[in-house]
Amino acid sequence: MDNAATTLIAHHRLALAAEGQHGVIGFDQLDSLGVTPRQLSQLADRGLVDRLAQQAYRLPGVPQSWRSDLTAGLFSLGPTAVVSHEAAAKLHEFDRFNREVLEFTVRRKRRGGDVVAGRVHTTQVLSLVDITEVDGLKVTTPARTIIDLAALRIKDVRLEAAIDSSIRLGLATLDEIVGRLGQLRGSGRSGVRRLDRLLITSGGHSKLEREFLKLVHDYGLPVPVPQVVHCRDGRHIARVDFLFVEHRIVVEVSGGRGHSSAADRAKDAKRRNELQDMGRLVLEFTFEDVMDRPSYVIKTLHRAFKSRSTPV
């Protein structure tokens, strides 16, 4: 087989590999693909591959994208590299993280080459438990991403959104985040105290729900489970704001005056009746109750706990 034919075969192999890697190939993949560095160089000379970084190449004609730049960064930085921090938050689709930034973490003293652009963090602790895959990219897990974000100079409201949306989307539970934070806090990690404070009121869909959780915490009441779905006979009944599991008490918090149409009011009444028929006591508090009348909220909860025959 002549040189031209083998070069074309090499190009075909690279193209197949690049399909699942956002159009990017890593230099370290050549051996497993049966492509030699010389063949890669010949393809580059003919304009059939473009060099992006020290260890990363892209096939011409494949549109450049944020994900292809992330892929190139991972190949360039070496096998310990992962997408992390704000870039990981966007890949996980956390609320309030929409910028297409290039941000990576590598094991300290194990950094490879250089990326075209972006921010590179180093860490002494990056275990397999901290790494997952999203869209074919190695990325920090939702729990580790939240812990890493806490060390950045981002506003509390964005960190709160990361925590809440991670829990809401089912990407990480509160126990997973708290547990991993406990394992990492001894390594001199910054942002731990801030995260401890924000995790107290995590899991709410809104600022009002967070304020309710803070109120419950400040008065030493049991912590409710947020956003609990209730089903009956395979039929969806309701997703409630909070459930005090042991007391079988549902709490809904509302920033408005409720539904105004007759049809909506009938739907709300049916929903409440079905929850009560399932053994739930349903309590509702308004924005004004939570923000301006906290003593009323706490007294109401205390009476409810007592009526359910379970001491607070």
Side-chain angles (χ1 to χ4, degrees), residues 53 83 85 92 112 150 153 215 295-296:
V83 179
H85 295 76
H92 290 308
R153 292 183 178 179
L215 183 62
S295 60
Y296 161 72

Side-chain angles (χ1 to χ4, degrees), residues 208-241:
L208 180 58
E209 291 176 17
R210 268 192 169 269
E211 289 296 331
F212 176 79
L213 286 169
K214 184 176 184 298
L215 183 62
V216 165
H217 172 267
D218 289 347
Y219 279 85
L221 299 183
V223 178
V225 179
Q227 304 302 317
V228 177
V229 175
H230 286 72
C231 297
R232 192 176 196 182
D233 300 327
R235 180 170 53 89
H236 180 272
I237 301 298
R239 179 190 294 272
V240 302
D241 292 339

Side-chain angles (χ1 to χ4, degrees), residues 90-107:
K90 177 171 173 56
L91 283 174
H92 290 308
E93 299 184 350
F94 289 172
D95 293 346
R96 293 181 176 264
F97 288 88
N98 301 312
R99 294 191 304 128
E100 295 186 344
V101 298
L102 302 179
E103 202 160 7
F104 309 89
T105 292
V106 297
R107 289 288 299 273

Side-chain angles (χ1 to χ4, degrees), residues 20 36 50 55 63 73 103-104 111 129 149 163 171 174 177 189 210 223 227 236 285:
T36 67
D50 294 329
Q55 301 286 328
E103 202 160 7
F104 309 89
R111 179 170 172 171
V129 71
L149 288 172
I163 298 168
L171 301 175
L174 180 58
I177 300 170
R189 186 170 304 277
R210 268 192 169 269
V223 178
Q227 304 302 317
H236 180 272
F285 299 112

Side-chain angles (χ1 to χ4, degrees), residues 49-88:
V49 294
D50 294 329
R51 185 176 184 274
L52 296 178
Q54 183 172 321
Q55 301 286 328
Y57 297 79
R58 181 171 61 225
L59 271 65
V62 178
Q64 181 180 2
S65 68
W66 175 60
R67 283 173 171 75
S68 69
D69 289 342
L70 288 174
T71 306
L74 290 175
F75 282 133
S76 178
L77 289 168
T80 73
V82 293
V83 179
S84 64
H85 295 76
E86 293 202 49

Side-chain angles (χ1 to χ4, degrees), residues 124-197:
Q124 291 181 328
V125 182
L126 188 62
S127 306
L128 289 177
V129 71
D130 292 317
I131 302 171
T132 187
E133 184 177 300
V134 178
D135 291 344
L137 296 162
K138 283 172 57 181
V139 57
T140 50
T141 61
R144 177 60 187 262
T145 300
I146 289 168
I147 294 168
D148 289 342
L149 288 172
L152 300 182
R153 292 183 178 179
I154 63 174
K155 294 181 178 179
D156 279 0
V157 67
R158 297 188 70 207
L159 186 55
E160 288 175 347
I163 298 168
D164 292 347
S165 57
S166 177
I167 294 173
R168 185 185 74 245
L169 295 170
L171 301 175
T173 66
L174 180 58
D175 286 344
E176 288 171 345
I177 300 170
V178 172
R180 192 62 184 132
L181 179 63
Q183 294 165 351
L184 293 171
R185 69 169 64 245
S187 58
R189 186 170 304 277
S190 61
V192 169
R193 289 185 179 180
R194 178 161 74 134
L195 197 50
D196 281 338
R197 172 172 54 83

